[in-house]
Amino acid sequence: MQTQRILMVDDDPRLCGFVTKFLAREGYATEFAFDGNAMQRALANVPFDLIILDLSFPNGEDGITLARDIRTRYDTPLVMLSGRHETIDKIICLEIGADDYLTKPFEPRELLARIRTVLRRARPTPQRSAAPAEKDIILFAGWRLDLGRRELFSPDDEAVVLTSQEFHLLAALVQRAGRVLTRDQILDLIANRHWTPFDRSIDVLIGKLRRKLNDNNRANQIIKTVRGAGYVFTLSPESSH
């Protein structure tokens, strides 16, 4: 199996060195960059399987801006780091498409667990044959959700970019159409509850999905809010055959 490559972007040389050595012992090839320019050079040179990015830098650079730039050009899984524990930081990271969020100081084993979880979710599902792949395609209101390839296509057959969290949330809702799911159930279903265990994160993801689905008709909403209970996918999806 090919060694997975990780890029760590943080202005702390000691932390970068420690994490690089730790992850090397776990079988990962890790490089580090101390600022945005070094990050851009590294990303231009070789592909990475995951990026670890600090939220703040002392020299005027902004981890949020760097993360947004990553998301506009790459679909590489992204884990954000922060020395602050404010909920708003977690929400912002979720909004820009981060796959996970970890506060400093952290235990190396916790970072490793987060990395493994994110990489496992990002791994493409093997396609064994054309027939099983067709069963992984779900249609609803002209939309096409490919569970195997983790792709969403609009009624105009345009690809819609989804983050890992958005894909897992949409898949969970579609596959349980007609059932009201509580926020706790959704957090469990998207298999990363420890990432951000507060209800607001689900509300943020639902809002992002609605925008991408053009789901702004409250009278006929695809993802409906059930006050005091949770969310329900209102359409009856069908598999493609």
Side-chain angles (χ1 to χ4, degrees):
M1 182 177 178
Q2 187 177 4
T3 301
Q4 291 178 300
R5 302 179 61 86
I6 295 175
L7 175 64
M8 181 168 184
V9 187
D10 195 294
D11 65 298
D12 186 341
R14 293 182 62 183
L15 179 61
C16 286
F18 171 77
V19 171
T20 297
K21 292 178 181 178
F22 172 75
L23 292 178
R25 292 196 298 268
E26 298 297 329
Y28 297 97
T30 307
E31 297 183 21
F32 53 83
F34 296 138
D35 56 34
N37 289 331
M39 179 192 79
Q40 300 294 0
R41 289 194 297 270
L43 291 174
N45 288 334
V46 294
F48 288 91
D49 296 286
L50 182 139
I51 301 169
I52 302 170
L53 174 63
D54 193 21
L55 191 60
S56 59
F57 293 82
N59 299 322
E61 288 189 294
D62 179 1
I64 295 297
T65 301
L66 294 179
R68 287 194 176 114
D69 185 57
I70 290 172
R71 274 292 162 260
T72 59
R73 297 193 291 164
Y74 306 95
D75 59 359
T76 309
L78 177 63
V79 175
M80 299 292 292
L81 300 178
S82 175
R84 300 183 299 183
H85 294 252
E86 285 83 353
T87 297
I88 187 62
D89 288 341
K90 298 180 181 181
I91 294 175
I92 291 172
C93 289
L94 182 65
E95 284 278 13
I96 61 177
D99 296 275
D100 209 336
Y101 177 98
L102 189 61
T103 54
K104 299 177 180 180
F106 52 81
E107 291 292 332
R109 287 287 166 185
E110 182 178 8
L111 175 62
L112 179 63
R114 304 294 185 95
I115 288 172
R116 287 174 172 169
T117 298
V118 171
L119 287 173
R120 186 168 58 249
R121 289 203 316 265
R123 188 182 304 140
T125 302
Q127 300 295 324
R128 292 185 293 274
S129 66
E134 289 180 355
K135 295 180 181 178
D136 288 337
I137 298 176
I138 298 178
L139 308 176
F140 58 93
W143 293 83
R144 186 169 83 254
L145 180 65
D146 190 327
L147 299 177
R149 298 177 183 273
R150 303 190 179 196
E151 294 176 335
L152 176 67
F153 294 89
S154 73
D156 296 326
D157 205 32
E158 294 181 358
V160 178
V161 177
L162 296 178
T163 66
S164 178
Q165 292 273 343
E166 291 166 1
F167 168 80
H168 284 282
L169 174 56
L170 180 58
L173 290 168
V174 170
Q175 291 175 310
R176 294 160 183 83
R179 288 174 49 188
V180 177
L181 298 178
T182 67
R183 291 172 177 82
D184 283 343
Q185 288 174 322
I186 293 172
L187 284 166
D188 289 334
L189 286 169
I190 62 177
N192 199 17
R193 183 183 176 88
H194 66 268
W195 178 69
T196 173
F198 58 95
D199 290 350
R200 179 70 187 279
S201 63
I202 297 301
D203 299 335
V204 172
L205 280 174
I206 290 289
K208 293 179 70 177
L209 274 181
R210 282 174 173 160
R211 288 193 292 273
K212 292 186 176 183
L213 292 169
N214 299 319
D215 190 20
N216 50 18
N217 184 354
R218 292 186 178 274
N220 193 26
Q221 214 159 25
I222 297 174
I223 303 174
K224 183 178 180 181
T225 302
V226 180
R227 189 175 297 277
Y231 297 97
V232 60
F233 192 85
T234 61
L235 300 179
S236 298
E238 57 186 56
S239 299
S240 175
H241 296 290

